[in-house]
Amino acid sequence: MIFKRHRRLRGSDALRDLVRETYLQTSDLIYPLFIKEDIEEKQEVTSMPGVYQFPLNLLLIEVEEIVNLGIKSVILFGIPKEKDEIGSQASDVQGIVQRAIRLIKEAYPQLLVIADTCLCEFTSHGHCGLLKSDQVDNDSSLARLAEVAVSQARAGADIIAPSNAMDGFVYVIRQALDEAGFQNIPIMSYAIKFASSFYGPFRDAGESAPAFGNRKTYQMDPANRLEALREARSDEEEGADFLMVKPALAFLDIIRDLRGQTQLPIVAYNVSGEYAMIKAASQQGWIDEKSVVLETLLGIKRAGADLIITYFAKDLVRYLKEEE
């Protein structure tokens, strides 16, 4: 028997490019933006170097850079000045997210604006739904979340992205959008959202840490694979147009399994903790940031993701331009 010479296909840059199976493209990327009321200057998130909370008056400067880089999609997270038990500002016509959507769409109508639909950044208790006693009540939360989604659509959001992890949220939001005349607004469901320790830096950026307890009664146990696939199947049946897996790196197997189950576009969220670890190691000189970012995002894409939400989006575009 003659052994196989696999190295024949690795002999030069041109040859490696010829047989490359997986590619990263600018159009794969969705860039998260944090908009905060009651600040006048952008504020760097301590646990996420290079990520900022923006005031409305400086938002378009950041968006202009994003557009000029060729990034076609952003997802918005808002931090209101005032919070209450039901997250009133999340659905207010003058809420921070609604104002940001209108501002962006007026200046850059071609940019795809995705609205994260949740209550955790807007509630005084920091949970993703309404409380009954000290528990998050699923069904009353659904009606409230539907109000938020419709408000975001009215403001001009191109895609509604519910991240609240309530049972039935896709069905209720789809029904509410249709009844309000937004039949053509897609839903990007956070279909598989694990109760992950990788979210810590995001809670700094979004100022959304729960005031008590945790989110394990509504976000998924990281140990469960089959449950994840059941969750995704339910959301697809209820009318989701995209299915998301969050986080990405510790759950590449879930992305791969989901790719075999659905024909819908799959979105992977390369979350804050994943970003922060690479940044921290890079700042210590322990890794080469560019190489690790490229390898990380390629791995997510290779696992089966069509789109990636990542805080590295701007960096990645610059890396890709360097390699052209």
Side-chain angles (χ1 to χ4, degrees):
M1 177 179 174
I2 300 175
F3 62 82
K4 305 296 183 182
R5 294 193 179 274
H6 301 287
R7 290 179 57 188
R8 288 175 181 150
L9 301 182
R10 304 172 193 160
S12 67
D13 287 343
L15 189 52
R16 289 190 293 273
D17 286 345
L18 187 68
V19 298
R20 173 165 281 199
E21 300 172 24
T22 306
Y23 288 90
L24 290 168
Q25 305 174 91
T26 301
S27 57
D28 299 334
L29 306 174
I30 300 169
Y31 188 60
L33 285 172
F34 297 92
I35 307 98
K36 183 177 179 179
E37 281 187 314
D38 203 30
I39 59 173
E40 295 298 325
E41 300 293 334
K42 68 179 185 180
Q43 298 179 350
E44 189 170 26
V45 180
T46 305
S47 56
M48 298 178 71
V51 174
Y52 295 85
Q53 297 171 327
F54 290 94
L56 274 177
N57 63 299
L58 298 179
L59 178 59
L60 289 184
I61 297 175
E62 176 70 3
V63 173
E64 181 180 21
E65 180 184 8
I66 291 166
V67 170
N68 288 341
L69 283 168
I71 296 170
K72 301 179 184 299
S73 308
V74 295
I75 184 166
L76 303 186
F77 302 92
I79 303 107
K81 180 180 178 180
E82 298 179 358
K83 303 187 180 190
D84 58 29
E85 286 288 308
I86 65 168
S88 299
Q89 288 298 305
S91 58
D92 193 297
V93 68
Q94 292 300 323
I96 184 65
V97 170
Q98 286 78 1
R99 290 157 64 197
I101 293 169
R102 291 194 293 269
L103 189 66
I104 293 171
K105 293 304 293 184
E106 182 177 350
Y108 298 100
Q110 77 277 21
L111 185 66
L112 199 68
V113 175
I114 305 165
D116 179 81
T117 306
C118 195
L119 296 178
C120 61
E121 295 137 50
F122 298 88
T123 53
S124 52
H125 47 76
H127 279 285
C128 302
L130 304 185
L131 298 183
K132 182 177 289 186
S133 183
D134 61 347
Q135 298 293 317
V136 175
D137 183 64
N138 194 89
D139 292 6
S140 62
S141 298
L142 291 177
R144 180 80 191 97
L145 291 160
E147 293 173 353
V148 176
V150 170
S151 174
Q152 293 168 336
R154 285 181 175 144
D158 297 293
I159 298 174
I160 299 299
S163 62
N164 51 83
M166 298 296 116
D167 288 338
F169 69 86
V170 172
Y171 175 82
V172 171
I173 288 174
R174 180 73 274 159
Q175 190 174 49
L177 289 171
D178 290 353
E179 290 175 355
F182 297 108
Q183 296 91 340
N184 293 325
I185 298 293
I187 293 176
M188 180 182 287
S189 170
Y190 286 66
I192 301 174
K193 184 175 182 179
F194 291 96
S196 173
S197 298
F198 285 98
Y199 300 153
F202 175 92
R203 292 171 184 174
D204 294 337
E207 300 181 16
S208 58
F212 64 90
N214 54 54
R215 296 174 178 150
K216 292 183 179 180
T217 64
Y218 46 101
Q219 294 178 0
M220 281 189 50
D221 184 344
N224 292 357
R225 169 181 165 270
L226 296 179
E227 183 185 3
L229 299 178
R230 292 198 302 271
E231 286 267 11
R233 186 177 292 111
S234 293
D235 285 7
E236 183 166 355
E237 291 170 353
E238 291 172 16
D241 301 283
F242 304 79
L243 298 174
M244 190 187 302
V245 178
K246 180 183 180 183
L249 290 183
F251 302 96
L252 294 176
D253 61 319
I254 305 299
I255 297 172
R256 170 52 61 191
D257 286 342
L258 183 60
R259 179 73 287 159
Q261 174 176 294
T262 185
Q263 295 182 21
L264 291 182
I266 295 175
V267 185
Y269 201 140
N270 178 216
V271 298
S272 60
E274 297 165 351
Y275 172 88
M277 288 191 302
I278 291 175
K279 282 291 185 182
S282 174
Q283 289 178 349
Q284 291 295 321
W286 295 336
I287 61 171
D288 177 71
E289 183 174 322
K290 175 182 175 180
S291 298
V292 171
V293 169
L294 287 169
E295 188 174 331
T296 296
L297 299 182
L298 268 173
I300 295 170
K301 190 84 182 291
R302 189 183 64 247
D306 300 291
L307 304 169
I308 305 172
I309 301 174
T310 179
Y311 304 96
F312 286 117
K314 293 194 298 182
D315 294 328
L316 178 62
V317 172
R318 296 185 180 104
Y319 298 155
L320 294 176
K321 290 182 184 297
E322 290 171 4
E323 295 192 348
E324 287 178 354

